[in-house]
Amino acid sequence: MGIDFELLHKIKGVIECPSPDKDIRRFDANLRLFPPFLDNDMCPLTIKNTLLQSCYLRNTEWACGVAVYTGNETKLGMSRGIAEPKLTAVDAMIDKLTGAIFVFQIVVVIVLGIAGNIWKNTEAKKQWYVEYPNESPWYELLIIPLRFELLCSIMIPISIKVSLDLVKSLYAKFIDWDDQMVDLETRIRSHATNTAISEDLGQVEYILTDKTGTLTENKMIFKRCCIRGTFYGNENGDALSDAELLNAVSTGSTDVIQFLKVMAICNTVVPIQSNTGVISYKAQSQDEEALVRAAASLHMVFVNKNGNVLEINFNGLLLRYEVLDILEFTSDRKRMSVVVKCCLSGKIYLLSKGADEAILPLARSGQQTRTFSEAVEQYAQLGLRTLCLASRELDDDEYREWSLMFKEANSKLVDREWRVAEVCQRLEHDFEILGVAAIEDRLQDGVPETISTLRKAGINFWMLTGDKQNTAIQIALSCNFVSPEPKGQLLLLSGKTEDEVCRSLERVLLTMRITNTEPKDVAFVVDGWALEIALKHYRKAFTELAILSRTAICCRVTPSQKAQLVELLKSCDYRTLAIGDGGNDVRMIQQADIGVGISGREGLQAARAADYSIGKFRFLTRLILVHGRYSYNRTAFLSQYSFYKSLLICFIQIFFSFISGVSGTSLFNSVSLMAYNVFYTSIPVLVSVLDKDLSENTVMQHPQILFYCQAGRLLNPSTFAGWFGRALFHAIVVFVITIHSFVFEKSEMEEVSMVALSGCIWLQAFVVALETNSFTILQHLAIWGNLVAFYAINLIVSAIPSSEMHTIMFRLCRQPLYWTTIILITMAGMGPVLALKYFRYTYRSSKINILQQAERLGGPILSLGNIESQSRSLEKDISPLSISQPKNRNPVYEPLLSDSPSATRRSIGPGTPFDFFQSQTRLSSTYMRNSKDN
């Protein structure tokens, strides 16, 4: 439509659109322009005519538009919302431990409050110096419990959240700064968008991945084709250099020419011609760009697009086609069609391309499609993506009648998508099938090695793709996703009806239970149709299948089904990671515990919606094994240490109350307590973000050790009990030695307080040093420099005449008894801890200890022992009829027991290293799953 620029400001019209919503994929509206432009004619508006907020318009010289939604009422503004926070397993455990400490704190306050009131009413009144009144109001009973509440308030470290947020931000920066995770081809660095879940990377149990653009390069190359039963490219693997095809093009074969026309015209590609005459193509779909480039290589060149008129250059002959309508691709239709009119002959054609199941059933009556089906299967076996091409000529009357219905459907404001699809079906029939095009999408570098390494770490893989089953299977075989026969076995779950899916699911489950006791890699394959029925009617049975299988290949699945599968695994208490590169992966990425987006050729939608963005799939190994594992180890130590230092000072306060009449009197002044939490004990532990228990190379060479993170071995009730006991023991040591040395010497209470505080600081320094695996200059400065700073600060404060601590530190430092007491506290406190650590390291060493010893000695570790994957054994006591009655079954999951019977953890999925634990599963009609450590 040509419009004079001078008249643009005079445009008048009305836009009929729905109220603001957050659906960025749909905009169903109508535009009515008043004369002199259009005589109140109605033009449909869709998302194709819409520019969303923050989007850029490219390859366009000028545009005339109007703002429909503004401010927070834009689609992006409304969909932005408040992101649901993701709670990591470590955060959940810290919350539980905090709750337990709070209960313990309340019990201590109540017990000591009662004891204090009893002592006050009995013994205190016998002491003349106490001067308690004989009678007091009833609320005096609350004073002592409130004092103890103030004393015990530091039992729960308030600073732990601040400390964790700080170190987690540093974890994210380590990912951003990692030069080994930079895509050298595009110079794209890895980036952590979400800074709060780095430790969850080390506890991943399931990875759900897209195929195209994630495992593959998404660089589509036209390789083979089948035109009217003739196969091209089978001999040399490249149809573009096939002499037979080139000869057919040069001789003007009608079938080949028509096939090439559909390749060049049926698309939404935009040709761009440079000043030098070179034509480049911009396409939303890599498949379309590959087809257009292939057609151009065969002399069917798409040279220009002027409005709705396409110009095709074939061997010097310029062909013009007017695009009348575009029947857009949807995930439901699985095909895309265009209605074009030949400017030379005036004939109208319907050109279509799409999946084989969306095109071949629409063939005209009498046309044999068997050859095309065989071609599709043959190409799929080679791992190639396939598209069927078809066309048919339309009568003018037929098109005119259909066009009116299509325009009416496009003008509907309600259920427009459904009405348009219904109208499209009325035209897409009686196709003349022209042939099958096969496109290659190569694997990214390092994908097989990445999957193999992460499998050794006990991580299970699911592939969720929209491709054909055979194509997905071939890609899975080539990238070590599944093992070929006889080591591996693929079980097919299929069906179009509930009964068919039920029988198939029953058969797959029975086979899975039998083969689960064998050292065999068993995977199941399911298509989108069967998956929809299974999730809707047999969800519990499918959940059992998901638990039993280490690997799944889900074909022809929609974005919503991808998200449903992630939710299914999360409901089984597994930590999931979803990785993809396109907009159709966004829902899956956001649903998973950890979302990873690849900055690929399909744009940045996935990368922007994800928690982490990487340039290539192979960086996932380093992201999980190095950054994830280090983050979990450091967070586990930091969180438990924060509780330890708070419990230590609190226990000393409690012990002091036993010699102060259970009155709730504080041994330490408020300034000392504040400095203890903020300066003296926080700075040394914050540098634990640099600690590495093993080198990065060792971790990458022995991925099995990730099990300790997956099982929560470093942060659980058992390990916390150890830190709790250490705090109690150290408090007893500090209190007993300090009281014995100074109280009996009739020292001032300020001196006793400073000696106890000094003992705590020294113990803290040695505890941090003992738990540090790799020292750097910064860590030495933080640990030992903190001790020097402690004395420097207190000496300065002691020099202030108005201070309560005036001259105290000077007097203590001159006393040999002070230094003797500090040495005794350190030796008595750290001696048993060192002995216990030596015993564990020498006689009960873990796999990590073995690797640490090998690193210190400089010798290689060829094997960590009998570490291999083992599937869970099953008892064949499930009735075959149980699947057909899924509502009578209910899954129960029992926790995985650790070395300590009192500690419980989440269960680990199948394939966890055998050397660490052995799981036995008894899946009966109640789906009970029990796991025990070896």
Side-chain angles (χ1 to χ4, degrees), residues 40 55 75 126 131 212 227 257 295 427 460 540 551 560 575 625 651 769 852:
N40 204 27
C55 290
K75 288 182 175 290
K126 299 178 183 179
E131 296 184 356
T212 304
I227 304 175
I257 300 304
L427 193 67
N460 307 318
K540 293 179 181 178
T551 307
S560 61
R575 285 283 149 181
L625 296 183
F651 281 143
Q852 288 174 333

Side-chain angles (χ1 to χ4, degrees), residues 595-636:
V596 179
I598 293 183
S599 304
R601 296 170 65 88
E602 288 194 15
L604 299 176
Q605 285 180 293
R608 288 172 176 170
D611 302 306
Y612 300 91
S613 63
I614 57 180
K616 296 293 183 182
F617 183 84
R618 65 177 182 270
F619 298 149
L620 200 60
T621 304
R622 187 169 176 83
L623 184 66
I624 293 175
L625 296 183
V626 176
H627 294 285
R629 185 178 175 277
Y630 284 159
S631 298
Y632 172 79
N633 291 351
R634 295 161 178 168
T635 304

Side-chain angles (χ1 to χ4, degrees), residues 62 115 190 362 369 407 492 515 546 632 807 852 860:
W62 65 273
S190 299
L362 303 179
T369 60
K407 187 174 182 180
L492 179 60
T515 57
Y632 172 79
T807 71
Q852 288 174 333

